[in-house]
Amino acid sequence: MKKSIALAAFGIAAFSFAATASAQAKPEDQIKYRKAGYSFMSWNMGKIKSNLEGTYNKDQVIAAANAIAGIANSGMGALYGPGTEKDVGDQKTRAKPELFQNMQEVGRIATDFNAATAKLASAAATGDKAAVQAAFGEVGKNCKACHDKFRAD
Amino acid sequence: MKKSIALAAFGIAAFSFAATASAQAKPEDQIKYRKAGYSFMSWNMGKIKSNLEGTYNKDQVIAAANAIAGIANSGMGALYGPGTEKDVGDQKTRAKPELFQNMQEVGRIATDFNAATAKLASAAATGDKAAVQAAFGEVGKNCKACHDKFRAD
């Protein structure tokens, strides 16, 4: 956990929750896993959007929000280790070099994002559509904050 | 939700929790999302394994278990829709044709799997390493039950 502690000193603990050394994935796999996490969150964001725009199914929104919050708060910062700044093997990344040069800012966005997903899950549990709408908007804002700055088109 | 109701009649509700019609992803995307979900769960299973074999970090195990339970219970059955039985576009699938011909059995395995991941998350929350070890084993058994029968090498 050395890396986690060191990065926490820079205020980016939420983003850098490192895996134990023995579980550290290879750079190619780190890219694969982080893309998988965002992809799966995206599917679930789409489901919530669809529920907000159409028939609202409380259970489906709860399930989708729990998946998003679970993924977001799983320690994805550990998937941005050395060697993952560019394509590796078959794994292509759209993360810009600027992301790796601004880890403090990325950490702040990630902290906000993680908190927003937890709020979305809490709102979903209440079944209050208006609360979910607001929380969903906040999550989306945080997605966009990172994409606009740190993800290539 | 017509599809969901119809499939529930076959006892596979847990696996077939269908997206609302408007959120139904294209076959290519369904394959992409389901692979993403399994991939991200796999990363988190690896982290828990590493914690069980090495230094046990309660918070990391909780986070990993929550991600797994959130993904497993997000309604992944909706990602096995028509047209996803074989490779589509750039998306390759290792799901065997037998999976789509035995949806009742797949539904039973999925129900057990989903319940096992929820138990893993509960065990993780207690911080009881032995309980996590047992629950982790149960999740692994359910992974294997499906892989052995329905996933190509």
Side-chain angles (χ1 to χ4, degrees):
Chain A
M1 297 300 291
K2 264 184 202 162
K3 191 181 164 197
S4 182
I5 292 162
L7 290 172
F10 289 98
I12 56 173
F15 191 64
S16 64
F17 188 67
T20 51
S22 59
Q24 192 62 54
K26 286 183 296 187
E28 187 166 356
D29 290 337
Q30 289 181 40
I31 296 173
K32 176 184 161 189
Y33 292 140
R34 74 192 185 205
K35 286 165 64 180
Y38 295 119
S39 179
F40 205 79
M41 285 195 281
S42 153
W43 176 53
N44 284 284
M45 286 295 282
K47 282 191 287 180
I48 296 175
K49 184 167 185 281
S50 170
N51 272 273
L52 289 170
E53 292 173 351
T55 308
Y56 192 86
N57 180 310
K58 183 184 170 183
D59 289 339
Q60 187 175 79
V61 174
I62 291 173
N66 283 345
I68 293 165
I71 292 169
N73 290 280
S74 68
M76 291 187 76
L79 299 174
Y80 289 83
T84 69
E85 307 88 353
K86 46 190 168 185
D87 300 347
V88 185
D90 288 341
Q91 288 300 325
K92 311 231 174 283
T93 179
R94 284 199 282 163
K96 288 184 184 171
E98 288 83 344
L99 185 154
F100 300 89
Q101 292 150 11
N102 293 280
M103 289 299 265
Q104 273 189 273
E105 185 181 354
V106 173
R108 279 192 298 270
I109 298 174
T111 302
D112 288 349
F113 173 66
N114 295 354
T117 64
K119 278 189 192 165
L120 176 59
S122 299
T126 68
D128 177 346
K129 190 176 169 177
V132 169
Q133 180 87 59
F136 179 78
E138 283 303 309
V139 172
K141 257 188 227 169
N142 281 288
C143 293
K144 194 173 181 306
C146 204
H147 292 174
D148 285 353
K149 279 206 157 175
F150 299 120
R151 189 180 71 166
D153 291 333
Chain B
M1 299 300 292
K2 263 183 200 161
K3 191 181 165 199
S4 181
I5 292 162
L7 290 172
F10 290 97
I12 56 172
F15 191 64
S16 64
F17 189 69
T20 51
S22 59
Q24 191 63 54
K26 288 183 295 188
E28 187 167 355
D29 289 337
Q30 289 181 41
I31 295 174
K32 176 184 159 185
Y33 292 141
R34 74 193 186 206
K35 285 165 63 181
Y38 294 119
S39 179
F40 205 79
M41 286 195 281
S42 152
W43 176 53
N44 284 283
M45 287 293 283
K47 283 191 286 179
I48 296 174
K49 184 167 185 282
S50 170
N51 272 273
L52 289 169
E53 292 173 351
T55 308
Y56 192 86
N57 180 310
K58 181 184 171 184
D59 289 337
Q60 186 172 83
V61 173
I62 290 173
N66 285 345
I68 293 165
I71 293 169
N73 289 281
S74 67
M76 291 187 75
L79 300 175
Y80 289 82
T84 69
E85 307 87 353
K86 45 189 167 186
D87 300 346
V88 185
D90 288 341
Q91 289 300 328
K92 310 227 175 286
T93 179
R94 284 197 283 164
K96 287 184 185 171
E98 288 84 345
L99 185 153
F100 300 88
Q101 294 152 9
N102 294 280
M103 288 301 263
Q104 273 190 273
E105 185 181 354
V106 173
R108 279 193 298 272
I109 297 175
T111 302
D112 290 348
F113 174 66
N114 295 353
T117 63
K119 278 189 193 164
L120 176 58
S122 300
T126 67
D128 178 345
K129 191 175 169 179
V132 170
Q133 180 87 60
F136 179 79
E138 282 305 308
V139 172
K141 256 188 225 168
N142 282 288
C143 293
K144 193 174 183 304
C146 204
H147 292 174
D148 285 353
K149 278 205 158 176
F150 299 120
R151 189 180 71 166
D153 292 333

